[in-house]
Amino acid sequence: MSSVQIRDVRKSFGNFEVLHGVSIPIEDGQFVVLVGPSGCGKSTLLRMLAGLENITSGTISIGDRVVNNVQPKERDIAMVFQNYALYPHMTVAENMGFSLKLRNAGSDEINKRVKRAAEILALSPLLDRYPRQLSGGQRQRVAMGRAIVRDPQVFLFDEPLSNLDAKLRVAMRTEIKELHQRLKTTTVYVTHDQIEAMTMADKIVVMHDGIVEQMGTPLELYDKPENQFVAGFIGSPAMNFLKGHVRVNGVATFEGPNGVKLPLKSAPAGSDGRPAVYGVRPEHFTIADDGAEAEIVVVEPTGSETQVFAKVGGEQVVAVFRERHQFNPGDKVRLKPDPSVVHLFDEATGKRM
Amino acid sequence: MAVIAEPVAAQVKRSSLWSRAFESRNFLGAMFMVPAIAILILFLAYPLALGFWLGMTDTKIGGVGRFIGFQNFVSLSKDSVFWLSVFNTLFYTVFASIVKFAIGLYLALLLNERLPFKSMMRAIVLLPFVVPTVLSAIAFWWIYDSQFSIISWVLIKAGLLTNYIDFLGDPWNARWSVVIANIWRGVPFVAITLLAGLQTISPSLYEAANLDGATNMQRFRHITLPMLSPIIAVVMTFSVLMTFTDFQLIYTITRGGPINATHLMATLSFQRAITGGNLGEGAAISNAMIPFLVAAILLSFFGLQRSRWQQGGRD
């Protein structure tokens, strides 16, 4: 186990810079999730950490050692690939023991460690099978087994669940988290799925267009997004954004599209009249007489909750209710955002106000 | 009602005989296979059978032969030139195939790396395969010429030799010369096919092996070679078959000389059957190649049997 320091790392492919100076401190034993839309540079960063891509500038250190020029095999890391990258001509046991065999470990030692890893991952009955004879979830577990057999300093996961079906994905999510709690190995996990990030991470790093937008615990990011991108990326259904202006005359309010009045707890100093974006999460709407007038467009019950798409001031918003309201499309209701948890963003910069 | 209905029913039955036949899967299946079977019989089975038959006769060009059983084979077994051609063929096949494989694999590995001008280099590698055999054979003939050989000329100018090398006049020189010509011609096939095989290996396997701590040599030994083995088996089968049955190169460069030192079974068969007019004996020599070819095919068939890891299915 080791800490990992990523300091001002840049990466260019030819003249095209894909990472514009990324710094991420990772503590020993932490589970860090890099999340962002495709093309944000998160996989590239992970591959640089693994040593599969060169570092254009900046430094990456594992423990106390700067690893910029250290060969992948000497970095003492293990990686789980998106397509698992299992060796098709080796059995499960051979796949898991391959790295030990390359290090000239004795066959007793290999057997012992493979067996232990197989027990942790419930792979014991499958040790003699070939990857082809396994299901997606089993292959996923073998890929993880291959990583834990080595007992490395750092685990790297590159979108490991994206090839699984939805149900299995949820199950494996729990399994990976449980494994981390058990082994406490520093883990860097890349995904584009914010739910995976939220559920698994000790620390989430939201990346976008080659920069870090925000880092923090899942709930920090959820409750206090630093900018509009993070606010929109974290949370499902996504946060509603309404453009308008801050008005301070006695009480602070927000004048939304078509003059809709929306409540604010307080307005930042000197923000009167400034163009801004009003952000409210779907679950922070209530039905109240002093709410903004809304016309219901679509109602989507999921059982545990109901998603309601409605037009507020001509803009579509989504609200989620735990209660079972009897709504029909075309109904007029009054939606009131909870002013204590709404977010205000500068319209020009997208920064939190 | 019934009286009227009966002839109608009969008519329906009669008219539907053809349409019923064309709706029958078995009949249609057989119909669709007829063209393929006709082609196979005409161009494969008939020539093969004729070859077998001729080998059992004493047919000469222009004459009708008699069936003489295995007499051709008996006389061949006492024919030292025939045995020399068997030796030559085996020598030619073994050495050319091994070297073609080694160079082909090396080129494939090289071309699979990130190289500048990669596509151009791939095209260049294919060149020997594109040039008509006879044309390249004539080029080699000049290269090996006893008076105009560029190899001898260069070596003499460089001061390494004093006399011209007699490439095609000395039996062993000639054997090695045609082997080299065959290698030159056969390498592209091996290289390009193995390259295609290499490109099916997922790069993430190498990355995983890299992280697992494998050196370049270990990656080759534990990933490339096992993953490539099915393709290697196919390529080497074809390579061996094509080399064993080679005719054009030898016939153009040496015509089997000097003193039959480069006669392959194929060229000897042609010489005895067409040039010499003994169709029966020539056919017998060709037939004598069959056991060797079958052995090669069987060997690769068992080699090709898909290993357990390639087989699909669960359990």
Side-chain angles (χ1 to χ4, degrees):
Chain A
M1 281 186 279
S2 264
S3 64
V4 175
Q5 298 293 330
I6 299 170
R7 287 193 201 91
D8 197 29
V9 162
R10 286 166 191 275
K11 174 73 185 175
S12 306
F13 291 106
N15 290 326
F16 186 67
E17 196 174 73
V18 292
L19 287 175
H20 317 292
V22 170
S23 299
I24 303 169
I26 297 167
E27 284 163 35
D28 191 1
Q30 222 172 15
F31 195 115
V32 172
V33 176
L34 306 181
V35 66
S38 35
C40 72
K42 56 190 190 299
S43 283
T44 308
L45 185 60
L46 191 79
R47 290 170 59 81
M48 287 159 83
L49 194 47
L52 300 171
E53 299 276 357
N54 290 324
I55 298 164
T56 308
S57 75
T59 58
I60 293 180
S61 18
I62 297 174
D64 302 327
R65 184 168 63 145
V66 174
V67 294
N68 283 35
N69 296 315
V70 176
Q71 286 290 310
K73 60 177 182 230
E74 276 139 28
R75 293 190 182 194
D76 199 11
I77 44 175
M79 183 157 166
V80 175
F81 291 81
Q82 181 173 1
N83 61 1
Y84 318 137
L86 300 180
Y87 311 120
H89 54 288
M90 297 183 196
T91 62
V92 168
E94 285 165 349
N95 260 287
M96 287 175 27
F98 187 57
S99 61
L100 301 175
K101 192 174 136 192
L102 292 178
R103 287 195 227 152
N104 294 320
S107 60
D108 288 344
E109 166 83 1
I110 295 178
N111 282 339
K112 205 179 79 195
R113 290 171 75 165
V114 166
K115 228 174 128 187
R116 206 196 59 194
E119 269 162 27
I120 294 175
L121 293 163
L123 286 169
S124 303
L126 306 175
L127 282 176
D128 292 327
R129 297 223 194 153
Y130 287 92
R132 250 181 202 230
Q133 301 166 302
L134 303 176
S135 69
Q138 289 167 338
R139 281 181 215 184
Q140 167 67 54
R141 284 215 293 276
V142 176
M144 293 200 307
R146 198 165 64 177
I148 64 177
V149 157
R150 291 179 41 194
D151 196 13
Q153 301 281 324
V154 184
F155 281 139
L156 307 178
F157 289 86
D158 187 8
E159 309 222 10
L161 304 183
S162 53
N163 287 355
L164 301 179
D165 64 60
K167 206 169 171 182
L168 203 53
R169 198 149 53 208
V170 174
M172 289 306 297
R173 211 160 73 193
T174 319
E175 226 170 283
I176 293 176
K177 193 170 180 178
E178 213 178 277
L179 192 70
H180 177 254
Q181 284 164 0
R182 186 165 167 175
L183 301 174
K184 298 193 170 52
T185 306
T186 313
T187 302
V188 183
Y189 185 107
V190 162
T191 180
H192 60 266
D193 182 351
Q194 57 92 20
I195 294 186
E196 266 174 40
M198 291 294 285
T199 49
M200 299 169 82
D202 293 328
K203 171 153 107 180
I204 297 182
V205 180
V206 180
M207 293 182 66
H208 181 217
D209 283 344
I211 57 159
V212 172
E213 294 277 1
Q214 188 175 357
M215 314 182 230
T217 65
L219 293 181
E220 268 169 30
L221 261 61
Y222 190 82
D223 294 338
K224 256 193 146 184
E226 266 166 25
N227 55 48
Q228 206 185 329
F229 176 80
V230 176
F233 193 79
I234 300 289
S236 171
M239 188 187 283
N240 297 295
F241 294 117
L242 294 164
K243 283 185 186 174
H245 297 84
V246 180
R247 298 288 178 216
V248 189
N249 36 5
V251 271
T253 51
F254 185 84
E255 191 180 303
N258 294 314
V260 169
K261 290 272 186 288
L262 297 162
L264 280 179
K265 204 168 114 193
S266 63
S271 61
D272 188 16
R274 253 170 74 181
V277 177
Y278 187 86
V280 52
R281 295 211 179 270
E283 64 271 29
H284 294 151
F285 279 112
T286 49
I287 303 288
D289 291 340
D290 58 346
E293 195 168 287
E295 185 185 334
I296 289 173
V297 183
V298 175
V299 179
E300 290 180 348
T302 63
S304 63
E305 54 185 36
T306 308
Q307 294 184 15
V308 176
F309 293 84
K311 283 224 182 322
V312 172
E315 295 284 321
Q316 182 152 309
V317 298
V318 55
V320 171
F321 297 106
R322 306 280 303 178
E323 316 86 61
R324 298 200 171 172
H325 296 293
Q326 287 303 317
F327 289 139
N328 289 308
D331 286 358
K332 295 264 198 289
V333 295
R334 286 190 170 271
L335 286 177
K336 187 185 174 196
D338 178 351
S340 63
V341 285
V342 298
H343 310 266
L344 264 188
F345 301 101
D346 187 282
E347 192 181 319
T349 62
K351 290 259 186 299
R352 184 178 190 83
M353 279 165 74
Chain B
M1 283 283 275
V3 180
I4 300 166
E6 233 173 43
V8 173
Q11 209 174 13
V12 168
K13 228 178 202 169
R14 222 177 307 139
S15 70
S16 71
L17 194 73
W18 264 114
S19 55
R20 273 224 329 277
F22 274 102
E23 274 161 29
S24 145
R25 288 177 65 89
N26 293 336
F27 179 76
L28 269 184
M31 287 296 289
F32 286 144
M33 285 201 309
V34 166
I37 291 173
I39 288 170
L40 285 179
I41 290 177
L42 200 62
F43 296 111
L44 274 174
Y46 170 69
L48 195 64
L50 185 64
F52 273 125
W53 167 250
L54 281 175
M56 306 273 200
T57 65
D58 61 354
T59 312
K60 300 222 175 354
I61 286 184
V64 184
R66 280 179 308 116
F67 178 80
I68 54 168
F70 288 93
Q71 223 165 292
N72 281 328
F73 295 97
V74 173
S75 68
L76 278 178
S77 69
K78 294 170 194 148
D79 183 342
S80 64
V81 175
F82 170 75
W83 285 114
L84 182 64
S85 81
V86 172
F87 166 76
N88 290 338
T89 310
L90 290 174
F91 173 82
Y92 186 73
T93 307
V94 168
F95 280 93
S97 296
I98 289 173
V99 179
K100 274 192 278 194
F101 173 68
I103 298 177
L105 182 62
Y106 171 72
L107 279 177
L109 290 169
L110 206 64
L111 290 174
N112 199 34
E113 295 295 318
R114 267 182 246 165
L115 290 173
F117 309 113
K118 188 153 88 174
S119 50
M120 205 172 84
M121 283 175 31
R122 284 185 190 175
I124 292 173
V125 166
L126 263 181
L127 270 183
F129 203 50
V130 175
V131 180
T133 314
V134 174
L135 214 62
S136 48
I138 288 173
F140 269 101
W141 188 36
W142 275 105
I143 290 172
Y144 294 145
D145 190 274
S146 53
Q147 288 175 55
F148 303 105
S149 164
I150 186 164
I151 300 173
S152 301
W153 185 81
V154 167
L155 290 176
I156 285 175
K157 289 284 169 196
L160 296 169
L161 270 186
T162 48
N163 292 321
Y164 273 68
I165 305 167
D166 190 8
F167 284 105
L168 302 179
D170 173 82
W172 279 103
N173 280 356
R175 277 184 196 122
W176 286 115
S177 298
V178 290
V179 164
I180 287 166
N182 181 281
I183 290 167
W184 180 83
R185 197 176 152 67
V187 159
F189 170 74
V190 179
I192 293 297
T193 320
L194 290 182
L195 178 62
L198 282 176
Q199 284 175 341
T200 64
I201 304 175
S202 160
S204 62
L205 289 185
Y206 290 109
E207 293 176 349
N210 203 348
L211 289 173
D212 273 343
T215 61
N216 282 340
M217 207 52 219
Q218 283 169 327
R219 282 205 291 273
F220 176 73
R221 153 103 185 63
H222 293 289
I223 311 288
T224 310
L225 220 48
M227 296 292 288
L228 205 57
S229 62
I231 307 269
I232 291 177
V234 176
V235 171
M236 287 322 288
T237 311
F238 275 93
S239 178
V240 164
L241 292 187
M242 287 190 308
T243 315
F244 197 91
T245 56
D246 195 15
F247 173 83
Q248 290 187 66
L249 266 180
I250 301 289
Y251 203 73
T252 314
I253 298 178
T254 66
R255 294 201 175 237
I259 18 169
N260 303 320
T262 58
H263 248 315
L264 302 187
M265 291 168 84
T267 53
L268 186 69
S269 161
F270 179 82
Q271 197 193 41
R272 295 271 167 94
I274 308 297
T275 321
N278 294 317
L279 283 178
E281 193 187 353
I285 296 173
S286 284
N287 290 343
M289 291 165 78
I290 290 172
F292 293 100
L293 296 176
V294 169
I297 291 170
L298 282 181
L299 206 70
S300 70
F301 176 79
F302 289 110
L304 272 177
Q305 271 192 335
R306 302 207 302 167
S307 346
R308 206 150 76 85
W309 62 269
Q310 292 174 283
Q311 273 154 12
R314 311 179 192 275
D315 289 289

